[in-house]
Amino acid sequence: MENTFLTTLQSSAFKDDILEVNGYAGELTVVMKAEKVKGFLRMLKEQYGFNYFGDLTASDHYTDEARFELSYHVVNLDNKQRIRVSCFLEEDALMTESVKDLYPAATWLEREAFDM
């Protein structure tokens, strides 16, 4: 991922909602406030061409305060760029806004994560 793209994301309207940015093996992970994930994904899709929804995963970090992690994996097929957008949810606040209207492929995966 180019540093200029990362700089663009960090100076976007979501700059105050990005909690952490990590890179590994050419892939970028952006950790967001849970309530801002859908808007951030909308920006990635509409402004930067991340129009392929690759996956949605959930992890249980049993001993952590924000126990559950949701990770949305989106891809810009033209530029061959991948971004993982993650958020953490506390056990007593497990709901987050659906992204199925942005990415219809998310429907089944959201149901699976909810059942976890």
Short mmCIF file of all heavy atoms in Angstrom, two decimals, residues 22 24 27-31 40 57 69-74 82-86:
data_model
loop_
_atom_site.label_atom_id
_atom_site.label_comp_id
_atom_site.label_asym_id
_atom_site.label_seq_id
_atom_site.Cartn_x
_atom_site.Cartn_y
_atom_site.Cartn_z
N ASN A 22 -2.18 -0.65 10.77
CA ASN A 22 -1.08 -1.61 10.72
C ASN A 22 -0.89 -2.07 9.29
O ASN A 22 -1.85 -2.15 8.53
CB ASN A 22 -1.40 -2.85 11.58
CG ASN A 22 -1.60 -2.52 13.03
OD1 ASN A 22 -0.77 -1.86 13.63
ND2 ASN A 22 -2.72 -2.96 13.59
N TYR A 24 1.08 -5.25 7.00
CA TYR A 24 1.84 -6.49 6.99
C TYR A 24 1.71 -7.13 5.62
O TYR A 24 0.59 -7.25 5.10
CB TYR A 24 1.33 -7.46 8.07
CG TYR A 24 2.06 -8.77 8.07
CD1 TYR A 24 3.35 -8.86 8.59
CD2 TYR A 24 1.49 -9.91 7.53
CE1 TYR A 24 4.04 -10.05 8.58
CE2 TYR A 24 2.17 -11.11 7.51
CZ TYR A 24 3.44 -11.18 8.04
OH TYR A 24 4.13 -12.36 8.02
N GLU A 27 -0.46 -5.54 2.97
CA GLU A 27 -1.87 -5.33 3.25
C GLU A 27 -2.03 -4.40 4.44
O GLU A 27 -1.25 -4.43 5.38
CB GLU A 27 -2.57 -6.66 3.52
CG GLU A 27 -2.62 -7.53 2.28
CD GLU A 27 -3.46 -8.77 2.48
OE1 GLU A 27 -4.27 -8.81 3.43
OE2 GLU A 27 -3.30 -9.69 1.68
N LEU A 28 -3.06 -3.60 4.39
CA LEU A 28 -3.31 -2.58 5.39
C LEU A 28 -4.48 -2.99 6.27
O LEU A 28 -5.50 -3.46 5.77
CB LEU A 28 -3.63 -1.27 4.66
CG LEU A 28 -3.81 -0.01 5.47
CD1 LEU A 28 -2.50 0.38 6.16
CD2 LEU A 28 -4.26 1.11 4.55
N THR A 29 -4.33 -2.80 7.57
CA THR A 29 -5.43 -2.99 8.51
C THR A 29 -5.71 -1.65 9.17
O THR A 29 -4.80 -1.03 9.72
CB THR A 29 -5.08 -4.03 9.60
OG1 THR A 29 -4.84 -5.29 8.97
CG2 THR A 29 -6.22 -4.16 10.60
N VAL A 30 -6.95 -1.24 9.09
CA VAL A 30 -7.39 0.01 9.72
C VAL A 30 -8.38 -0.37 10.82
O VAL A 30 -9.40 -0.99 10.54
CB VAL A 30 -8.05 0.95 8.70
CG1 VAL A 30 -8.54 2.22 9.37
CG2 VAL A 30 -7.10 1.27 7.55
N VAL A 31 -8.06 -0.02 12.05
CA VAL A 31 -8.95 -0.28 13.18
C VAL A 31 -9.75 1.00 13.43
O VAL A 31 -9.18 2.07 13.61
CB VAL A 31 -8.17 -0.70 14.45
CG1 VAL A 31 -9.13 -0.97 15.60
CG2 VAL A 31 -7.29 -1.91 14.16
N PHE A 40 -16.98 4.46 6.66
CA PHE A 40 -15.63 4.31 6.14
C PHE A 40 -15.61 3.35 4.96
O PHE A 40 -14.98 3.63 3.93
CB PHE A 40 -14.70 3.82 7.26
CG PHE A 40 -13.25 3.83 6.90
CD1 PHE A 40 -12.55 5.02 6.78
CD2 PHE A 40 -12.57 2.64 6.69
CE1 PHE A 40 -11.20 5.04 6.46
CE2 PHE A 40 -11.22 2.64 6.37
CZ PHE A 40 -10.53 3.84 6.25
N THR A 57 -14.91 -11.52 9.04
CA THR A 57 -14.55 -12.49 10.06
C THR A 57 -14.81 -11.89 11.44
O THR A 57 -14.87 -10.67 11.59
CB THR A 57 -13.08 -12.92 9.97
OG1 THR A 57 -12.25 -11.77 10.16
CG2 THR A 57 -12.77 -13.54 8.61
N GLU A 69 -13.85 -8.90 17.90
CA GLU A 69 -13.29 -8.12 16.79
C GLU A 69 -13.98 -8.54 15.50
O GLU A 69 -14.03 -9.72 15.17
CB GLU A 69 -11.79 -8.37 16.68
CG GLU A 69 -11.15 -7.65 15.52
CD GLU A 69 -9.66 -7.96 15.38
OE1 GLU A 69 -9.16 -8.85 16.07
OE2 GLU A 69 -9.03 -7.29 14.54
N LEU A 70 -14.52 -7.57 14.78
CA LEU A 70 -15.05 -7.80 13.44
C LEU A 70 -14.05 -7.26 12.44
O LEU A 70 -13.54 -6.15 12.61
CB LEU A 70 -16.38 -7.06 13.25
CG LEU A 70 -17.59 -7.58 13.99
CD1 LEU A 70 -18.79 -6.68 13.72
CD2 LEU A 70 -17.90 -9.00 13.59
N SER A 71 -13.79 -8.04 11.40
CA SER A 71 -12.85 -7.60 10.35
C SER A 71 -13.52 -7.75 8.99
O SER A 71 -13.94 -8.84 8.61
CB SER A 71 -11.57 -8.44 10.38
OG SER A 71 -10.87 -8.23 11.57
N TYR A 72 -13.61 -6.63 8.31
CA TYR A 72 -14.18 -6.57 6.95
C TYR A 72 -13.02 -6.51 5.98
O TYR A 72 -12.14 -5.67 6.12
CB TYR A 72 -15.04 -5.32 6.79
CG TYR A 72 -16.18 -5.21 7.77
CD1 TYR A 72 -15.98 -4.72 9.06
CD2 TYR A 72 -17.46 -5.58 7.40
CE1 TYR A 72 -17.03 -4.59 9.96
CE2 TYR A 72 -18.53 -5.46 8.29
CZ TYR A 72 -18.29 -4.97 9.57
OH TYR A 72 -19.33 -4.86 10.46
N HIS A 73 -13.01 -7.39 4.98
CA HIS A 73 -11.93 -7.44 4.00
C HIS A 73 -12.48 -6.98 2.65
O HIS A 73 -13.36 -7.63 2.09
CB HIS A 73 -11.39 -8.86 3.88
CG HIS A 73 -10.94 -9.43 5.19
ND1 HIS A 73 -9.63 -9.63 5.48
CD2 HIS A 73 -11.62 -9.81 6.29
CE1 HIS A 73 -9.51 -10.12 6.70
NE2 HIS A 73 -10.72 -10.24 7.22
N VAL A 74 -11.98 -5.85 2.16
CA VAL A 74 -12.43 -5.32 0.87
C VAL A 74 -11.24 -5.18 -0.07
O VAL A 74 -10.10 -5.02 0.37
CB VAL A 74 -13.18 -3.98 1.03
CG1 VAL A 74 -14.48 -4.18 1.79
CG2 VAL A 74 -12.33 -2.94 1.72
N ARG A 82 -5.78 -4.52 -1.08
CA ARG A 82 -6.68 -5.09 -0.07
C ARG A 82 -6.60 -4.24 1.18
O ARG A 82 -5.52 -3.78 1.54
CB ARG A 82 -6.25 -6.51 0.29
CG ARG A 82 -6.29 -7.48 -0.83
CD ARG A 82 -5.72 -8.83 -0.38
NE ARG A 82 -5.79 -9.78 -1.44
CZ ARG A 82 -6.82 -10.60 -1.64
NH1 ARG A 82 -7.84 -10.58 -0.80
NH2 ARG A 82 -6.85 -11.44 -2.64
N ILE A 83 -7.74 -4.10 1.83
CA ILE A 83 -7.76 -3.41 3.12
C ILE A 83 -8.65 -4.22 4.06
O ILE A 83 -9.73 -4.67 3.67
CB ILE A 83 -8.31 -1.97 3.00
CG1 ILE A 83 -7.34 -1.11 2.21
CG2 ILE A 83 -8.53 -1.36 4.38
CD1 ILE A 83 -7.76 0.34 2.10
N ARG A 84 -8.16 -4.39 5.25
CA ARG A 84 -8.94 -4.98 6.32
C ARG A 84 -9.38 -3.84 7.23
O ARG A 84 -8.56 -3.06 7.70
CB ARG A 84 -8.10 -5.97 7.13
CG ARG A 84 -8.83 -6.58 8.30
CD ARG A 84 -7.91 -7.49 9.13
NE ARG A 84 -7.35 -8.55 8.33
CZ ARG A 84 -6.04 -8.64 7.99
NH1 ARG A 84 -5.18 -7.72 8.39
NH2 ARG A 84 -5.60 -9.64 7.25
N VAL A 85 -10.67 -3.72 7.44
CA VAL A 85 -11.22 -2.70 8.33
C VAL A 85 -11.78 -3.44 9.54
O VAL A 85 -12.70 -4.25 9.41
CB VAL A 85 -12.32 -1.86 7.63
CG1 VAL A 85 -12.89 -0.83 8.59
CG2 VAL A 85 -11.76 -1.20 6.38
N SER A 86 -11.21 -3.18 10.69
CA SER A 86 -11.60 -3.89 11.91
C SER A 86 -12.20 -2.93 12.93
O SER A 86 -11.91 -1.74 12.93
CB SER A 86 -10.39 -4.57 12.55
OG SER A 86 -9.92 -5.61 11.74
#
